[in-house]
Amino acid sequence: MKTRPRKTPPWYALDHAAVIYPPTMSDRAPAFFRLQLSLAEPVNLVALSDALQKMARRFPLFHVELRKGAFWYYFERNDAPPAPMADSLYPMQRPEAGKKGAHLYRVRAYHNRLALEVSHVICDGYGGMALFKTLIAEYFRLCGLTVPCEEGVFDLDAAPSPEEWEDSFARYSRPGLPPPPPQDPSWHIPGALLPRGTIRITTGRLSVAQLLAKAKGYGVTATVYLAARYLAALQDYQEDEAMASGQPGDAWRRKAKPLRLEVPADMRKIFPSSTLRNFSLFLEPTLRPRLQRYDFADILKIVEAHMALGLQRGELARIITRNVEAARSPFVRAMPLPIKNAFMRALNSIYGDRMFSGVLSNLGSFKLPAILRDRVLAVDLIINTSPVIKQTVAAISYGDVFSISIGSLCESAEFERRFLTSLVKDGLRVKVESNIPHRRG
Amino acid sequence: MPYCYKCGVELAKGGAACPLCGTALPDACEETDAPARPAYPDFVHDPDYGAGLSGRDRRRIALEILSLALGLAAASSVVIDLADGGLGWSRFVAAAVVGVWGVFAGVLALWSRPGWAAAAAAGACLAAMAGIDAAASWRGWSLAVGLPMAAVAAAGAFAVGASVRKAKRRGLNVAGHALLAVAAALCVLELALDLYLDGAVFLRWSLITAASIVPVSLLFYYMHARLLRGADLRKFFRL
């Protein structure tokens, strides 16, 4: 039997973590994250463009555009490679759902800086790193180097595996598990926001060896140390705000909201999966200022305990199950998209933005094949924020450089100052740069 | 390597102030041997620029959809009317549909020339009114009342559009302009109706309406001038 050529491009469903992003995307919460490299040489745009051309066949998952259906958003295949584009003062602008030809990832260049901006609608940090490493390797191959497929670089000649676009949340959902208990709303940094479409990125770079030695001195991991410093900075900020409002003594503590961080964790380490789509959940280290003021040693213990408890397989499974079963509910399925969007925004507000005072994402070590180590000088990670949470912290290490980027929507850089100077006071050398100058709050 | 003596952090070369506390860097601390490049470009680049349909394509598609919808509405009215015994009420529907189509087609086709677009829309309105007048055994109201109304509506739309284009800040002042134009149009309507029906002019309800509308428009102008120029709106509304 003859098969007629397909006239319309194929479509795909969003994974269970991604469905929350399209309704909640806005100019201030574009649901993007960004990996950026500083190269030893200026970016060769011809080689970059040629490298991008080769990505579509190996990474079909990324070559899609977001479309609106009657009941759900969906992906439509778009094999046209995105052209490299100029970088911007304010990175990670929101894509427009339903706009023909608008890809969900972008490659941007500025002198010797090469950046990949990826929408969380298609993947998490693991998927973004896979695409970026493969793109960088191909870019340098086109520049004349022989780059092996190692350290997470995918072979462009190999066929994509179906497991790469598996929705692993659906695979590990176990209907019947009790949902996680609801959490109370947390405290948020006050203050006016920056204008729409703008974001302040403040990057602090420090030595990996120094940081690991410092964390080891406290007997914890680098992520636990940073989360503890983050919570300590928020605790001081909350106290100073309460004092500034003129409340006597500790009276404010009776109504003080908790300080809670969202710390994303890669589920692939716990539930075997090789998907490139979203497959991460978050841990929730929490301080309760109503109970007491915590010193740094207390905070370290609390964060470490929260992280250990949160990574229990059963605890994670019930979060996965709640998310998947909610999307599978006939009631939710039958909702037309505009109503579903309003429903999703409310869910995101209750279980997302309102629950967390901040976000700390540590993507870990970014490794490249040895031949590229002298050609790539630094790597930074910048993650999405929202007008409620206002600031997020993203960390990544490359060689001996540990990069901490704070994305903030606040006019005031007070949080950045408190957090980064707390590292300095702890004996770490931090080098700071920002995309926009300081503005007093 | 320059550093901030208040925060204790090292800073990138070429920076004028600490990004954390705003402390200005003393010149002596700045290294001038290497050209300093800011960490990010100093321009904003829209990543979706060039993606999707152009404005012209969008207007062409809008015109196609409008033509199809209105054409089907007019044709089905005529068919129903014919099945009901003859060409009667559907003539009014057809004339109104042609008028509506003409207004939108004129605006969409002459999008970049607002003056001509307003004139075309007024002409289409007038033609539709003349069609309806003719369908109901010509009484001349379309010329006596419709002509001045179409002219005033076109002139008002053009004036509002031009003033909005020239305005440095657009906000409540646009609503103020539109309300003034409506007040003027209502006065002309009563004037034309009086002349057509009584042969004499005695403005009453239009003046009452204008007296209600003009203070609102003045309030809008005041709020626009006070809030936009006198205060920071972003702080005012916590935007």
Side-chain angles (χ1 to χ4, degrees):
Chain A
M1 196 176 89
K2 261 189 174 179
T3 54
R4 282 190 295 179
R6 185 189 280 273
K7 283 183 182 171
T8 53
W11 67 276
Y12 313 92
L14 275 65
D15 65 62
H16 279 92
V19 289
I20 197 73
Y21 292 114
T24 55
M25 281 192 310
S26 69
D27 291 334
R28 285 184 167 143
F32 260 78
F33 64 95
R34 170 175 161 122
L35 282 157
Q36 62 185 26
L37 297 181
S38 299
L39 304 180
E41 300 287 330
V43 175
N44 178 341
L45 282 178
V46 177
L48 181 60
S49 184
D50 290 348
L52 267 172
Q53 302 260 356
K54 297 186 173 180
M55 292 295 123
R57 201 189 67 80
R58 181 63 187 83
F59 293 100
L61 164 70
F62 291 84
H63 289 82
V64 290
E65 52 194 52
L66 187 62
R67 314 288 291 166
K68 282 179 188 170
F71 294 95
W72 296 96
Y73 287 90
Y74 63 95
F75 293 134
E76 196 171 271
R77 187 79 173 270
N78 178 1
D79 280 332
M85 59 179 67
D87 207 351
S88 181
L89 175 61
Y90 306 114
M92 304 192 296
Q93 291 113 315
R94 168 173 80 125
E96 222 172 281
K99 200 167 191 176
K100 272 253 173 215
H103 285 84
L104 291 171
Y105 82 93
R106 309 163 185 148
V107 175
R108 312 186 84 159
Y110 171 66
H111 293 284
N112 64 335
R113 173 167 287 176
L114 182 58
L116 171 76
E117 295 179 353
V118 194
S119 172
H120 259 306
V121 181
I122 39 178
C123 70
D124 59 8
Y126 176 87
M129 277 217 290
L131 176 73
F132 200 30
K133 285 181 179 181
T134 311
L135 176 70
I136 296 160
E138 186 59 22
Y139 166 80
F140 279 108
R141 276 184 208 121
L142 294 170
C143 289
L145 296 180
T146 306
V147 185
C149 293
E150 59 185 31
E151 304 287 12
V153 173
F154 281 47
D155 182 1
L156 283 178
D157 294 328
S161 156
E163 288 177 2
E164 289 171 12
W165 58 83
E166 174 199 60
D167 183 356
S168 296
F169 286 111
R171 183 171 148 201
Y172 289 107
S173 169
R174 286 160 48 194
L177 289 182
Q183 302 278 13
D184 43 350
S186 59
W187 182 79
H188 295 108
I189 287 177
L193 297 178
L194 288 166
R196 282 180 191 282
T198 65
I199 181 171
R200 182 178 51 252
I201 309 292
T202 307
T203 300
R205 296 201 178 91
L206 51 156
S207 155
V208 171
Q210 270 190 28
L211 178 69
L212 290 179
K214 182 62 66 182
K216 199 175 172 185
Y218 288 111
V220 295
T221 63
T223 307
V224 170
Y225 172 72
L226 288 176
R229 281 274 162 234
Y230 196 159
L231 282 170
L234 288 175
Q235 178 178 241
D236 291 345
Y237 204 148
Q238 186 188 33
E239 279 184 11
D240 290 350
E241 282 295 317
M243 297 299 150
S245 67
Q247 298 181 49
D250 272 1
W252 63 273
R253 285 196 186 274
R254 285 203 298 269
K255 291 182 181 171
K257 290 183 176 174
L259 303 167
R260 187 178 295 114
L261 285 191
E262 176 183 331
V263 183
D266 185 1
M267 290 298 102
R268 294 168 189 82
K269 293 171 184 166
I270 297 160
F271 300 100
S273 169
S274 50
T275 184
L276 295 180
R277 302 174 87 176
N278 289 294
F279 195 40
S280 51
L281 288 178
F282 42 79
L283 311 173
E284 303 168 11
T286 307
L287 297 186
R288 298 200 176 273
R290 279 186 72 178
L291 305 179
Q292 65 172 98
R293 176 181 165 75
Y294 300 88
D295 60 30
F296 189 62
D298 294 334
I299 298 174
L300 280 170
K301 281 183 205 159
I302 288 171
V303 173
E304 200 176 16
H306 268 281
M307 303 280 246
L309 282 173
L311 284 173
Q312 295 299 308
R313 213 179 146 89
E315 288 296 323
L316 295 168
R318 68 181 188 165
I319 300 174
I320 292 175
T321 305
R322 178 196 63 188
N323 297 349
V324 172
E325 292 308 305
R328 282 179 179 165
S329 146
F331 174 68
V332 172
R333 282 185 185 192
M335 275 186 204
L337 188 64
I339 298 171
K340 196 173 280 156
N341 283 348
F343 182 67
M344 293 282 188
R345 281 184 208 117
L347 277 184
N348 183 59
S349 173
I350 295 165
Y351 294 108
D353 287 354
R354 277 210 323 226
M355 252 176 66
F356 298 106
S357 311
V359 182
L360 170 69
S361 177
N362 183 2
L363 209 50
S365 177
F366 187 91
K367 289 178 181 160
L368 285 171
I371 193 169
L372 300 182
R373 280 181 199 148
D374 294 337
R375 289 170 174 83
V376 177
L377 306 179
V379 180
D380 303 312
L381 169 71
I382 303 163
I383 58 170
N384 178 49
T385 183
S386 85
V388 179
I389 295 177
K390 297 193 187 80
Q391 36 63 41
T392 55
V393 177
I396 193 167
S397 67
Y398 175 74
D400 188 46
V401 181
F402 194 89
S403 163
I404 301 172
S405 292
I406 305 171
S408 174
L409 298 181
C410 282
E411 269 193 355
S412 160
E414 182 60 17
F415 170 75
E416 289 95 314
R417 190 189 65 75
R418 286 172 185 268
F419 178 65
L420 292 173
T421 54
S422 74
L423 300 179
V424 173
K425 284 173 189 163
D426 210 11
L428 297 169
R429 287 182 63 180
V430 183
K431 184 184 171 187
V432 176
E433 66 180 28
S434 178
N435 64 332
I436 48 179
H438 172 82
R439 192 167 169 182
R440 287 186 190 281
Chain B
M1 180 67 69
Y3 81 100
C4 172
Y5 70 90
K6 277 191 179 170
C7 299
V9 295
E10 296 176 1
L11 302 171
K13 289 175 195 169
C18 171
L20 301 182
C21 66
T23 302
L25 288 180
D27 291 341
C29 285
E30 291 188 31
E31 295 182 12
T32 51
D33 52 341
R37 184 186 301 133
Y40 290 83
D42 57 359
F43 52 82
V44 177
H45 178 77
D46 177 4
D48 285 344
Y49 179 77
L53 297 170
S54 66
R56 190 176 176 156
D57 289 339
R58 285 172 191 272
R59 290 195 292 277
R60 183 177 51 75
I61 292 170
L63 188 58
E64 281 177 16
I65 294 171
L66 184 79
S67 305
L68 185 68
L70 291 179
L72 288 173
S76 55
S77 301
V78 169
V79 170
I80 293 167
D81 199 14
L82 282 174
D84 206 25
L87 207 56
W89 55 268
S90 62
R91 290 176 298 163
F92 300 103
V93 175
V97 162
V98 169
V100 171
W101 183 88
V103 169
F104 283 99
V107 170
L108 289 170
L110 299 165
W111 187 259
S112 54
R113 296 180 178 178
W116 286 106
C125 276
L126 189 60
M129 284 189 281
I132 294 170
D133 197 1
S137 61
W138 181 266
R139 293 187 183 178
W141 61 264
S142 59
L143 289 180
V145 180
L147 182 60
M149 275 313 300
V152 166
F158 179 73
V160 171
S163 57
V164 169
R165 279 193 177 202
K166 279 191 179 174
K168 284 181 186 168
R169 298 172 190 227
R170 293 162 196 161
L172 287 174
N173 57 340
V174 177
H177 295 335
L179 284 179
L180 283 186
V182 169
L186 289 176
C187 290
V188 173
L189 175 64
E190 188 175 17
L191 191 146
L193 281 172
D194 282 355
L195 281 175
Y196 176 68
L197 295 173
D198 305 329
V201 177
F202 179 60
L203 295 183
R204 213 174 57 166
W205 60 263
S206 64
L207 285 182
I208 295 170
T209 317
S212 310
I213 287 177
V214 169
V216 178
S217 100
L218 292 178
L219 179 68
F220 283 166
Y221 286 133
Y222 168 78
M223 289 173 73
H224 174 74
R226 178 74 189 94
L227 292 181
L228 268 180
R229 293 185 183 155
D232 188 342
L233 257 190
R234 288 188 298 118
K235 281 188 180 170
F236 190 82
F237 288 115
R238 284 274 170 176
L239 294 176

